[in-house]
Amino acid sequence: QVQVVESGGGLVQAGGSLRLSCIVSGLLFDDFAMGWFRQAPGEEREGVSCIDWDGASTYYVDSVKGRFTISRDNAKNTLYLEMNSLKPEDTAMYYCAAKTNGHCLTSWFVASRYPSWGQGTQVTVFS
């Protein structure tokens, strides 16, 4: 059984930083691309970032480019999202998900391409 557990969310002032973590078990972690998504109340789930199985390629939604960094440690079955210069519009529940294959590709932001999801971690940014 696949388990995906996010942590690291919290309440932070605008301009601050947070580091999200996601531990995955029940699958061969380094066989799969991994993604971060977020969902604000009343909004659709949005793809934030994706990283290929080996970390060689990464993708970001335009609104976080230059501020967020995705990384992974395959030895620890762990995915990370370093978030800097946070803005109130980054406020959302953040989810970690395992993709159907090892590469993000052009479909990386499509939630249906990720069959395994965590419960999410809340990020709230106040001004």
Side-chain angles (χ1 to χ4, degrees):
Q1 181 178 354
V2 178
Q3 286 194 314
V4 180
V5 180
E6 303 95 337
S7 62
L11 183 66
V12 62
Q13 191 169 19
S17 299
L18 283 174
R19 188 193 197 201
L20 305 184
S21 298
C22 169
I23 298 177
V24 181
S25 60
L27 56 74
L28 294 176
F29 183 72
D30 54 6
D31 276 357
F32 298 95
M34 294 294 300
W36 285 101
F37 285 74
R38 65 186 179 185
Q39 188 167 20
E43 302 287 334
E44 295 208 351
R45 192 164 294 192
E46 174 187 45
V48 175
S49 184
C50 183
I51 186 168
D52 281 359
W53 70 274
D54 59 355
S57 295
T58 57
Y59 301 78
Y60 299 91
V61 67
D62 285 349
S63 59
V64 308
K65 284 180 180 177
R67 300 188 298 121
F68 290 12
T69 303
I70 191 171
S71 62
R72 65 191 294 163
D73 185 338
N74 286 348
K76 295 182 178 179
N77 282 16
T78 303
L79 177 73
Y80 303 100
L81 186 68
E82 185 75 35
M83 305 187 296
N84 298 315
S85 303
L86 282 161
K87 304 175 181 180
E89 50 264 44
D90 294 318
T91 294
M93 185 72 78
Y94 282 71
Y95 298 90
C96 168
K99 203 168 180 282
T100 53
N101 54 45
H103 297 278
C104 299
L105 305 176
T106 56
S107 62
W108 72 267
F109 54 89
V110 178
S112 62
R113 300 301 176 95
Y114 297 77
S116 302
W117 292 81
Q119 294 300 305
T121 185
Q122 178 66 39
V123 172
T124 303
V125 184
F126 63 94
S127 56

